[in-house]
Amino acid sequence: MKKALITGVTGQDGSYLAELLLDKRYEVHGLVRRSATVNTQNIEHLLDHSNFTTHYGDLSDSASIIKLLNEIKPDEVYNIGAQSHVRVSFDVPEYTADVSGLGCVRILEAIRTLGLDCKFYQASTSEMFGNVQEIPQTEKTPFYPRSPYGFSKLLAHWATVNYRESYGMFACSGILFNHESPRRGEKFVTRKITKGIVDISQGIQDCLYLGRLDTLRDWGHAKDYVRLMWMMLQADKPEDYVIATGVQHSVKEWIEWSCEEMGIEIVFEGEGKEEVGKVVAVTGNKAPCVKPGDIIIRINPDYYRPAEVDSLIGDSSKAQNNLGWQPSVTARELCAEMIAEDFT
């Protein structure tokens, strides 16, 4: 039975990856950061599984990483843990760099010094492309990060390349474009929108405040993306891959889809900071607390980033050609799934 260690196992990606590996009869170990509040809701259904074990540790603590790796001696390590909120990274740049950047170095160095024969996956990010140098972005596109999150992940990405080339380690990075699910944290824009529109429809809140609405992203489903993470470590040789759908949508489209799922027709008026989303019609019975004329979307400039990334879209043809991977869920279908979960 193969053994795998997943950092960030309590998050969206970590929980889906744990499910996937358990289905494939792995012995799965998850690194959990100690917190004063319960943060295991995404893995509650796995805690009683005979092949699933959680361990307390922290990516900022080399000792806990070394101890855990030496104890488990995993066949595969998936480093998904990070401070992953881009806007927040501007407020805590040093912490973000420590966890999201140096955390990867700590794992790689521990694997090397312990002499472990295991495969390593690093969760890189499309935010490394930042001020994009070409469209779409591929594995060969130059990087130009525009946030502490982006440059921290770039450190981890290049560390993975260096350990692979310097020490012959099976170490690779998946350059993940935006990916969502019903397990997405409520501070991330897609989940903030779906939950916000549902709450507005039920009278729980009056208005949803957002940042830029014209930002363009390539959104896929987290389940599809963790499947490619696993596929990368089953390959004959370690290579880095873009993980993306190749289709781009705006934040405004995500709002319109969410409203449509709740029977709300919305139009946008004004420009820039003064732009608002106004209800023009309500159909069905999902939104009893919304009426025509209500302004349910407003702009809050506090959500703007000091340096914006306006557009990201990935080309995953390398993964499709080499590994046979294909995304199976469209952004529109993903939005509907998230609305349905939030409305339950």
Side-chain angles (χ1 to χ4, degrees):
M1 179 182 292
K2 283 187 177 181
K3 292 189 286 187
L5 171 64
I6 303 172
T7 70
V9 74
T10 60
Q12 168 188 256
D13 293 8
S15 61
Y16 282 123
L17 179 60
E19 289 176 353
L20 175 72
L21 297 181
L22 288 170
D23 285 344
K24 294 184 179 297
R25 304 185 67 81
Y26 277 65
E27 178 184 313
V28 178
H29 297 263
L31 182 67
V32 177
R33 181 172 56 87
R34 185 71 178 178
S35 173
T37 57
V38 176
N39 62 352
T40 57
Q41 60 268 24
N42 286 334
I43 58 170
E44 286 292 337
H45 62 297
L46 301 178
L47 295 178
D48 292 331
H49 197 293
S50 60
N51 289 331
F52 182 69
T53 306
T54 58
H55 308 263
Y56 286 118
D58 199 298
L59 289 173
S60 65
D61 179 26
S62 296
S64 66
I65 293 171
I66 293 169
K67 178 177 180 293
L68 192 57
L69 286 169
N70 191 47
E71 175 187 330
I72 298 170
K73 293 182 172 55
D75 299 288
E76 298 172 2
V77 176
Y78 297 85
N79 183 36
I80 304 174
Q83 190 302 100
S84 57
H85 196 287
V86 179
R87 178 60 189 85
V88 170
S89 75
F90 286 98
D91 300 323
V92 288
E94 183 178 344
Y95 173 76
T96 300
D98 188 25
V99 174
S100 304
L102 290 176
C104 172
V105 178
R106 293 182 182 106
I107 297 173
L108 287 166
E109 183 63 9
I111 291 172
R112 186 187 73 83
T113 56
L114 290 170
L116 298 180
D117 182 17
C118 69
K119 297 180 177 181
F120 175 80
Y121 170 86
Q122 166 61 23
S124 291
T125 172
S126 59
E127 290 289 334
M128 299 187 307
F129 295 120
N131 187 11
V132 297
Q133 304 299 291
E134 66 177 0
I135 300 173
Q137 293 86 59
T138 73
E139 294 81 5
K140 296 181 179 180
T141 300
F143 297 119
Y144 196 143
R146 298 267 285 170
S147 67
Y149 174 69
F151 67 63
S152 299
K153 282 289 194 175
L154 189 56
L155 165 61
H157 180 83
W158 281 117
T160 303
V161 172
N162 274 264
Y163 272 76
R164 178 172 70 223
E165 295 180 350
S166 299
Y167 303 113
M169 292 172 59
F170 193 113
C172 54
S173 292
I175 305 174
L176 295 153
F177 280 66
N178 293 66
H179 51 291
E180 319 297 325
S181 76
R183 298 180 189 175
R184 187 52 131 165
E186 294 177 10
K187 290 186 177 181
F188 291 84
V189 68
T190 51
R191 183 75 193 290
K192 184 176 181 180
I193 291 170
T194 59
K195 188 175 187 304
I197 294 301
V198 169
D199 286 351
I200 289 170
S201 74
Q202 305 305 300
I204 298 172
Q205 70 183 77
D206 297 323
C207 188
L208 179 60
Y209 290 85
L210 298 166
R212 299 185 185 277
L213 305 184
D214 56 354
T215 299
L216 295 166
R217 290 291 185 270
D218 181 337
W219 277 298
H221 199 298
K223 280 189 175 181
D224 282 336
Y225 287 26
V226 301
R227 176 164 46 88
L228 182 48
M229 295 178 191
W230 174 78
M231 293 172 73
M232 288 172 61
L233 294 198
Q234 312 318 304
D236 293 332
K237 62 178 181 177
E239 295 188 60
D240 302 325
Y241 288 93
V242 162
I243 308 180
T245 70
V247 181
Q248 193 177 56
H249 299 282
S250 68
V251 171
K252 189 177 293 185
E253 284 180 89
W254 199 274
I255 297 169
E256 292 169 338
W257 295 338
S258 299
C259 287
E260 183 181 332
E261 289 297 316
M262 298 303 295
I264 301 170
E265 184 180 343
I266 189 173
V267 295
F268 291 91
E269 300 176 351
E271 296 181 356
K273 299 176 183 178
E274 306 305 317
E275 188 170 14
V276 298
K278 181 183 290 186
V279 177
V280 295
V282 181
T283 59
N285 58 6
K286 289 184 176 180
C289 297
V290 177
K291 62 183 184 301
D294 287 351
I295 294 177
I296 61 173
I297 304 292
R298 291 187 184 274
I299 302 299
N300 183 347
D302 289 344
Y303 295 133
Y304 289 178
R305 301 179 187 177
E308 291 288 345
V309 175
D310 298 322
S311 175
L312 291 170
I313 181 170
D315 178 356
S316 61
S317 58
K318 179 181 175 182
Q320 295 180 37
N321 294 334
N322 289 10
L323 303 178
W325 177 82
Q326 288 281 349
S328 65
V329 181
T330 67
R332 180 66 183 86
E333 292 168 339
L334 172 57
C335 180
E337 179 184 340
M338 292 170 67
I339 281 283
E341 182 70 19
D342 286 326
F343 188 56
T344 301

